[in-house]
Amino acid sequence: AEIAGIFQTIDNAASQITAPDTSLPKIKILIHARSKWITELIVEYIEKEQSNNFIISNDYGNREINDYGIIIDEPSEKYSHWEHFVLSIERICVKASVNNPLVGKTLYFHQLENQPFILPSIGNGMRKRYENACKRNNIKEQIVVECNDRQCLHQYVSSGIGLTIGSFRSLGDATQQNIAAVNVIDFDEIQTVCVFFKKNKQQDFHLKKLCDYLYSKRIL
């Protein structure tokens, strides 16, 4: 009986190590920038750790940010009380189908006044850049497709339906083989993406572990 009790104690200890701690609340993550890349990193992290302690949202709509433990977004005053680190700094450009006659020309943004654009919904950083550029140049917005699915968005652009705005580096992605940068000399934009986080005693270990992993993947 005594030996059986010892083995039972060992089994209980092992189960505590291998089984997920369901008593801990899951860490809520809100992704508002670089969604494809961040998704790939999180999936890679979950596979590496063999555990999933997260609830993830890619919604660009208004959210109560204090509901989240980690937010990945561009800098904003609304995150002024959050701890953070810079995850990536990248050049942003106007993009079009490689067959678009604008590719290879040197243009000013106001010359795109009548060009149709394909962009994510309101709240997305690329959408904001387009809206701000239109205001600066006193031209009317021409959004013909609103699409939050990155793959579908690039399919629309590849087909020649319209232009978009996005990371210059991502032109190397397989989904953007038929897309090229348009040389708009007064649209010289840089996107800075940060990981914003709030420490929580119940979640500190898992939160720090994910933040450390993301920090190791920075592109600066």
Side-chain angles (χ1 to χ4, degrees), residues 72-86:
I72 299 170
D73 200 354
E74 298 185 50
S76 169
E77 180 63 30
K78 63 187 176 183
Y79 305 127
S80 59
H81 300 299
W82 291 58
E83 295 187 63
H84 73 280
F85 60 87
V86 176

Side-chain angles (χ1 to χ4, degrees), residues 22-68:
T22 56
S23 66
L24 285 177
K26 288 183 178 288
I27 298 170
K28 296 183 72 175
I29 302 173
L30 181 61
I31 304 172
H32 269 182
R34 298 301 312 278
S35 58
K36 178 178 181 291
W37 179 48
I38 302 303
T39 299
E40 290 170 350
L41 291 182
I42 291 175
V43 169
E44 187 178 286
Y45 175 83
I46 291 170
E47 290 176 347
K48 175 175 176 286
E49 296 298 322
Q50 292 296 300
S51 67
N52 181 7
N53 200 47
F54 312 113
I55 297 175
I56 303 166
S57 173
N58 289 81
D59 185 8
Y60 293 118
N62 291 326
R63 292 279 182 166
E64 175 48 62
I65 62 174
N66 290 315
D67 288 344
Y68 293 88

Side-chain angles (χ1 to χ4, degrees), residues 6 9-10 19 45 75 95 99 107 121 150 161 192 194 196 206:
I6 291 171
T9 301
I10 293 172
Y45 175 83
K95 301 179 180 182
N99 297 317
L107 305 165
S121 57
R150 186 176 181 272
I161 291 175
T192 299
C194 296
F196 299 92
H206 295 289

Side-chain angles (χ1 to χ4, degrees), residues 1-10:
E2 183 177 350
I3 294 175
I6 291 171
F7 279 119
Q8 184 62 51
T9 301
I10 293 172

